[in-house]
């Protein structure tokens, strides 16, 4: 991933899905995430999952699984996340091949990035692009 040090990330977007297993399939197949771990509870609910992309990760789980976070997120709307990728056009082609809803095709931005935007199966917005701010102090 461009502009990274290889250090462990300190921010992890966290999303709950009505169908977390379908979300995991879409995020890995269409958007190129790699499944790091999936922990299921009784009845097959995803209690916690971690998917990685570059040196970043997203945590996700099933809605209705119980607990403080699930209760706090009960009425939450869709979320958005930006993921840095090296080849936006190839990444976009993969997403299209897997039927992802594309909101914005690969577009060159005024600030030097090339980005595209997609919506996942439950309405969350995923932006993929080359912009990687240098946050080194």
């Amino acid at each position: 991933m461009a502009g990274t040090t290889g250090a462990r990330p300190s921010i992890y977007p966290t999303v709950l899905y009505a169908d977390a297993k379908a979300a995991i399939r879409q995020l890995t197949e269409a958007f190129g995430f790699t499944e790091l771990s999936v922990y299921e509870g009784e009845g097959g609910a995803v209690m916690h999952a971690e998917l990685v992309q570059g040196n970043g990760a997203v945590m996700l789980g099933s809605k209705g699984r119980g607990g403080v976070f699930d209760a706090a997120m009960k009425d939450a709307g869709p979320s958005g996340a930006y993921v840095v990728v090296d080849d936006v056009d190839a990444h976009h082609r993969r997403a299209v091949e897997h039927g992802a809803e594309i909101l914005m095709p690969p577009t060159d931005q005024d600030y030097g990035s090339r980005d595209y935007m997609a919506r996942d199966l439950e309405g969350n917005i995923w932006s993929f692009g080359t912009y990687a701010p240098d946050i080194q102090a």
Side-chain angles (χ1 to χ4, degrees):
M1 192 158 103
T4 59
T5 63
R8 186 174 289 179
S10 61
I11 298 174
Y12 297 86
T14 306
V15 186
L16 295 182
Y17 289 93
D19 189 343
K21 290 178 182 176
I24 292 168
R25 275 191 307 278
Q26 183 185 41
L27 291 170
T28 56
E29 293 173 5
F31 298 143
F33 283 79
T34 301
E35 186 179 301
L36 183 62
S37 62
V38 177
Y39 302 97
E40 294 184 19
E42 293 182 30
V46 176
M47 302 306 289
H48 178 81
E50 298 170 6
L51 306 179
V52 298
Q53 174 77 250
N55 79 335
V58 62
M59 296 179 188
L60 64 95
S62 296
K63 289 182 177 178
R65 65 195 168 111
V68 175
F69 187 72
D70 183 49
M73 295 290 288
K74 181 180 178 200
D75 295 320
S79 65
Y82 186 89
V83 180
V84 177
V85 296
D86 290 325
D87 186 338
V88 171
D89 296 289
H91 197 275
H92 172 261
R93 280 191 299 276
R94 176 183 181 153
V96 169
E97 288 169 4
H98 287 277
E101 179 184 356
I102 304 301
L103 302 177
M104 181 184 78
T107 303
D108 292 327
Q109 304 297 331
D110 292 340
Y111 50 89
S113 184
R114 183 161 177 80
D115 304 333
Y116 83 93
M117 190 181 310
R119 185 187 327 265
D120 73 17
L121 297 172
E122 294 193 22
N124 298 294
I125 307 303
W126 293 88
S127 298
F128 299 92
T130 58
Y131 180 70
D134 186 2
I135 58 173
Q136 303 303 311

